[in-house]
Amino acid sequence: MFNLNNIINTIIQGDALEILKQIPDNSIDLIVTDPPYFISQEGNNISRKNSSSKAHKRNSDIKLDFGEWDHFDDDKAFLEFTENWFKECVRILKPKSWIYVFFDRKKVGYFDLLLAPKYNITSKAMFVWCKTNPTPSFRKVSYVSATEFVWIGSKGESKVKNFLTQKEMYNYALTPNKSSYGKTEHPTEKPESVIARFVKASSLEGDIVLDPFVGSGTTAVVCKKLNRKYVGIEISPEYTEISNNRLAGLLF
């Protein structure tokens, strides 16, 4: 079991499931995370070099395969993985603390229907990130995918620690996607402005915020800027280094 003081304000490189098991019960004030969705199309990317539209033409491909971390054998294996990390997150959350989870729209109901009632978590809201510059639908067969969803719950019934302005507490955000704000090569880097709303509403200065799938380090960066303590976990050595470099580059 970790001594919590020894891992505060660090990015731990390793398997989230194994590291979560070493964090003490009821020790974390807030969890904000963007776990694997199991939506990667293995080995598949879309080339934009030959697009007929000048506005959409790019030298870089659209990645449909986000990496090995988003590969699973089947739905059963993925849902078992999701329940395992969620169960550990519930254990280490302090009573009345909140958890925010970015998740795939096709699977996000898993939390309300199965996991929240099974582990006595109160479902609080569904937050929608609306992208102002989504990736175009090149095949033009359906609606443009311009939203991502964040499931929000609390360990027991509780209020947010800081009710912000009414507008800041709307359950949606209108911001660009990574092509506008991206600071790293991580394919699913999330906007700091969205993460900051969650951290400000559901934690106090000095609280400990955990992100077990910290990826590009955005949650840790936001916590450092907002005077919260952070613990990040990342399985990829490459992204762990990216997160640490990004944190080291913050100037105050």
Side-chain angles (χ1 to χ4, degrees), residues 33-35 37 63 66 69 102 129 131 133 148 175-195 211 213-222 225 234 239 242-243 246:
T33 196
D34 182 21
Y37 287 10
K63 292 185 177 181
F66 299 122
W69 51 267
F102 285 84
W129 169 29
K131 303 173 187 180
N133 60 338
E148 288 197 39
T175 70
N177 67 15
K178 181 178 180 287
S179 63
S180 175
Y181 62 77
K183 294 180 173 64
T184 75
E185 293 301 314
H186 196 286
T188 63
E189 181 186 332
K190 295 301 186 287
E192 290 184 25
S193 60
V194 174
I195 302 297
D211 187 342
F213 303 96
V214 78
S216 64
T218 301
T219 301
V221 167
V222 167
K225 289 181 176 180
E234 174 53 45
Y239 293 136
I242 285 173
S243 295
R246 191 174 170 193

Side-chain angles (χ1 to χ4, degrees), residues 70-82:
D70 196 45
H71 297 169
F72 295 86
D73 290 338
D74 50 34
D75 286 342
K76 181 180 178 181
F78 173 70
L79 294 179
E80 181 179 353
F81 164 80
T82 301

Side-chain angles (χ1 to χ4, degrees), residues 2-226:
F2 286 123
N3 179 330
L4 200 59
N5 290 328
N6 293 337
I7 62 171
I8 284 174
N9 294 337
T10 62
I11 306 294
I12 305 169
Q13 194 271 307
D15 185 287
L17 292 178
E18 296 307 314
I19 293 169
L20 285 169
K21 292 175 183 177
Q22 300 178 61
I23 297 176
D25 296 356
N26 305 312
S27 60
I28 300 298
D29 296 292
L30 169 65
I31 294 174
V32 179
T33 196
D34 182 21
Y37 287 10
F38 187 33
I39 60 171
S40 284
Q41 298 178 27
E42 194 166 349
N44 192 13
N45 296 314
I46 296 176
S47 174
R48 295 185 287 182
K49 293 179 182 178
N50 299 317
S51 175
S52 59
S53 168
K54 291 182 178 180
H56 298 157
K57 194 171 185 177
R58 299 285 192 282
N59 288 325
S60 59
D61 293 346
I62 296 174
K63 292 185 177 181
L64 301 180
D65 185 350
F66 299 122
E68 187 63 33
W69 51 267
D70 196 45
H71 297 169
F72 295 86
D73 290 338
D74 50 34
D75 286 342
K76 181 180 178 181
F78 173 70
L79 294 179
E80 181 179 353
F81 164 80
T82 301
E83 179 169 1
N84 285 338
W85 68 252
F86 185 80
K87 176 174 62 177
E88 291 301 320
C89 284
V90 172
R91 178 185 61 79
I92 65 180
L93 262 182
K94 292 179 180 177
K96 298 188 176 181
S97 293
W98 288 44
I99 178 170
Y100 293 74
V101 183
F102 285 84
F103 220 62
D104 175 35
R105 66 174 179 84
K106 294 180 180 178
K107 308 181 186 83
V108 72
Y110 186 50
F111 292 97
D112 274 344
L113 294 174
L114 297 173
L115 294 183
K118 184 173 181 178
Y119 294 101
N120 297 315
I121 293 295
T122 302
S123 179
K124 303 300 291 189
M126 187 67 68
F127 188 95
V128 183
W129 169 29
C130 304
K131 303 173 187 180
T132 56
N133 60 338
T135 301
S137 178
F138 294 101
R139 291 181 295 174
K140 299 180 180 179
V141 296
S142 186
Y143 289 92
V144 174
S145 179
T147 56
E148 288 197 39
F149 298 88
V150 184
W151 181 85
I152 306 171
S154 65
K155 189 173 180 177
E157 184 57 58
S158 68
K159 299 178 181 178
V160 290
K161 290 185 175 179
N162 302 301
F163 192 93
L164 308 175
T165 66
Q166 290 289 339
K167 190 171 183 179
E168 287 177 301
M169 295 306 294
Y170 289 175
N171 69 333
Y172 72 88
L174 286 167
T175 70
N177 67 15
K178 181 178 180 287
S179 63
S180 175
Y181 62 77
K183 294 180 173 64
T184 75
E185 293 301 314
H186 196 286
T188 63
E189 181 186 332
K190 295 301 186 287
E192 290 184 25
S193 60
V194 174
I195 302 297
R197 282 173 62 176
F198 303 156
V199 172
K200 286 191 290 185
S202 295
S203 68
L204 304 173
E205 290 193 6
D207 277 356
I208 302 172
V209 182
L210 170 73
D211 187 342
F213 303 96
V214 78
S216 64
T218 301
T219 301
V221 167
V222 167
C223 288
K224 190 170 182 179
K225 289 181 176 180
L226 295 177

